[in-house]
Amino acid sequence: MPQKILNTRSCASFNKCVSFRHVMTVLALMASIIGLVSCESPKLIKTFYAMGGIPVNIIAVGLRDTALQRVTDEAAQSVKEWEAELSMYRESSVVNQLHKTKGSPVHLTEKGWQALQAALEAETITDGAFDVTIGPVVRLWKEAEKKGELPDSDTMQKALSFTGFESLVFDEANRSIQVKTHDPVTDNESESGFVLDVGGIAKGLFAEWLNDQIVNSLSPKEKSGLKKLIVDLSGDMYVRSFTKNDDCVVGIRDPFSSDRSALWGSLSIQKGAVVTSGTYERYFEIDGRRYCHIIDPKTGYPVANEIVSVTIVDPSGAMADALATAVFVMGEEKGIELIKSRPQTEMVLIRRDGTWVVSDGLQDRLKQTCSI
Ligand code: AMP
Ligand code: MG
């Protein structure tokens, strides 16, 4: 594959990649998306709030307002149901109840099962860098943030002992999971024990599920008018254009700007997930040191490296989301290797110093809109 260096100030390239100098992340902001979805038919947007108050935007071109309202209401209901099963922040959710079952199987719905299978696949292909069993450690860091104190090493070791897929048994026939009884199921109600945190995969997954659900729920007449559909879960998107040569254009945020609406550029995508993980927005400080929200499952500590933003484009919402998180953990070199091994996956990776790399599958899809 020939290389094309688009910017002579670039600092790195990998064989399916071209280097650039700056950073881009996918923009979740509704106004930008509205501005960037290019076509003549009216663009409509409906918003609901889920997952602790994040806006979920459904953006459609070529759909009547009443139809969009209907599918948005249905989407809100679906997200509520998925969250009730999969959110570690819901006391009664399945993923939050594992430790209380003392080794008994916990049943999942079809969607819940699909979610955990996607998480398992992500764990395998990232060699453990993406690991939804990280829940107890995520909890520990949330407490640390509240107290303003780093966790001590005993507490960390204890939390880590409740992580790892090897401690879980998946039963496909019964669509259930269980914690192996010989593993350290806690008797102490105040300890979290096993908790699955699907926060690093759920938004991408939900964006794809909702996009499919909406399209499938339209009448043939409604469907024939639909030109574009974007489901945007606060930056994790699943986009779909139904018109040949008229891609969805997704705004890209400048992660170095404190202005959330500052655009660096845009990506044109026909169909697929566009998901960004960034350390520039979600972080906390203890003793003047900044910690990000992505944890290295091997150490239990927040990742600290030169990456500031990773955008993944992939046909699978779950994989896009998981890989965006995992590349942070894997680091640039291993991350690029992984993306190179997947023909269906593209990436933009931005470093703290403002340099960046982009896979060649995105080079013609990327448009820079601000100066670097
Ligand atoms: P994202 O914003 O998609 O990168 O997801 C980050 C969220 O995923 C965090 O807030 C945690 O809830 C969870 N998480 C953190 N580290 C990991 C990890 N190594 N594997 C899977 N999920 C993680
Ligand atoms: Mg993610």
Side-chain angles (χ1 to χ4, degrees):
M1 185 83 62
Q3 285 191 27
K4 187 171 147 202
I5 305 299
L6 295 189
N7 188 314
T8 53
R9 285 172 297 168
S10 62
C11 66
S13 62
F14 57 100
N15 69 0
K16 68 184 271 196
C17 295
V18 181
S19 298
F20 297 80
R21 186 185 172 272
H22 214 288
V23 171
M24 60 185 243
T25 57
V26 177
L27 179 71
L29 299 181
M30 175 174 101
S32 311
I33 297 161
I34 294 168
L36 286 165
V37 175
S38 59
C39 72
E40 294 80 44
S41 311
K43 305 168 277 256
L44 294 175
I45 179 159
K46 301 279 176 200
T47 303
F48 64 91
Y49 294 84
M51 291 170 263
I54 70 156
V56 179
N57 302 310
I58 314 286
I59 302 141
V61 175
L63 206 57
R64 294 172 84 92
D65 188 76
T66 45
L68 186 58
Q69 187 60 60
R70 187 190 78 236
V71 295
T72 302
D73 291 344
E74 288 165 5
Q77 184 55 35
S78 296
V79 172
K80 229 186 244 174
E81 287 163 16
W82 300 337
E83 272 193 278
E85 182 173 25
L86 293 170
S87 171
M88 87 175 207
Y89 299 103
R90 297 279 177 90
E91 190 51 40
S92 59
S93 72
V94 171
V95 297
N96 211 4
Q97 291 288 322
L98 272 177
H99 67 288
K100 292 189 181 151
T101 60
K102 303 276 188 276
S104 311
V106 175
H107 292 275
L108 296 160
T109 64
E110 199 184 326
K111 284 283 190 235
W113 180 257
Q114 279 173 25
L116 292 197
Q117 290 308 303
L120 191 54
E121 188 189 342
E123 197 263 355
T124 306
I125 64 170
T126 64
D127 202 16
F130 185 85
D131 186 349
V132 296
T133 70
I134 200 72
V137 179
V138 170
R139 284 231 162 120
L140 202 58
W141 282 104
K142 290 224 182 297
E143 276 167 35
E145 180 182 358
K146 253 192 243 158
K147 287 194 215 151
E149 259 174 44
L150 292 176
D152 65 62
S153 89
D154 285 354
T155 320
M156 175 60 78
Q157 288 316 312
K158 180 101 200 209
L160 280 170
S161 75
F162 293 122
T163 67
F165 269 102
E166 64 282 359
S167 299
L168 294 175
V169 180
F170 286 79
D171 176 352
E172 186 169 8
N174 293 308
R175 251 185 5 222
S176 69
I177 46 172
Q178 79 189 90
V179 177
K180 282 185 194 166
T181 44
H182 61 268
D183 279 312
V185 176
T186 179
D187 284 322
N188 182 348
E189 287 298 317
S190 68
E191 282 174 354
S192 62
F194 282 89
V195 176
L196 300 183
D197 176 2
V198 298
I201 199 171
K203 286 197 286 172
L205 193 69
F206 289 2
E208 181 178 354
W209 285 352
L210 288 179
N211 205 306
D212 281 351
Q213 173 179 309
I214 290 169
V215 173
N216 292 335
S217 73
L218 296 175
S219 69
K221 189 165 170 238
E222 288 166 337
K223 215 183 268 184
S224 69
L226 182 62
K227 293 195 166 66
K228 287 176 184 168
L229 181 66
I230 296 178
V231 177
D232 164 27
L233 279 86
S234 211
D236 290 14
M237 300 187 208
Y238 202 91
V239 307
R240 213 154 152 183
S241 168
F242 298 86
T243 319
K244 234 180 157 191
N245 300 325
D246 187 16
D247 290 348
C248 296
V249 181
V250 180
I252 291 167
R253 183 179 161 191
D254 179 352
F256 297 117
S257 171
S258 55
D259 177 0
R260 295 192 78 235
S261 63
L263 282 186
W264 183 87
S266 60
L267 277 176
S268 305
I269 305 292
Q270 171 80 23
K271 182 180 181 214
V274 187
V275 174
T276 297
S277 273
T279 53
Y280 50 92
E281 249 184 352
R282 289 172 61 199
Y283 59 84
F284 57 94
E285 284 183 11
I286 298 177
D287 293 335
R289 207 182 140 185
R290 202 181 257 206
Y291 296 90
C292 81
H293 65 295
I294 297 172
I295 310 286
D296 182 343
K298 286 199 177 77
T299 63
Y301 274 78
V303 168
N305 57 30
E306 285 310 301
I307 307 172
V308 72
S309 167
V310 175
T311 298
I312 300 284
V313 179
D314 192 284
S316 156
M319 280 310 134
D321 199 350
L323 289 174
T325 307
V327 169
F328 267 97
V329 178
M330 300 173 90
E332 179 173 334
E333 205 178 317
K334 284 197 175 147
I336 287 174
E337 235 171 75
L338 175 61
I339 302 308
K340 272 162 62 175
S341 73
R342 292 173 57 85
Q344 73 274 44
T345 310
E346 304 294 339
M347 173 170 81
V348 179
L349 177 150
I350 301 120
R351 308 183 190 100
R352 280 181 204 286
D353 64 3
T355 57
W356 51 297
V357 288
V358 58
S359 59
D360 66 1
L362 289 183
Q363 63 180 286
D364 296 333
R365 305 192 162 274
L366 169 68
K367 204 166 164 199
Q368 203 176 327
T369 53
C370 73
S371 59
I372 55 175

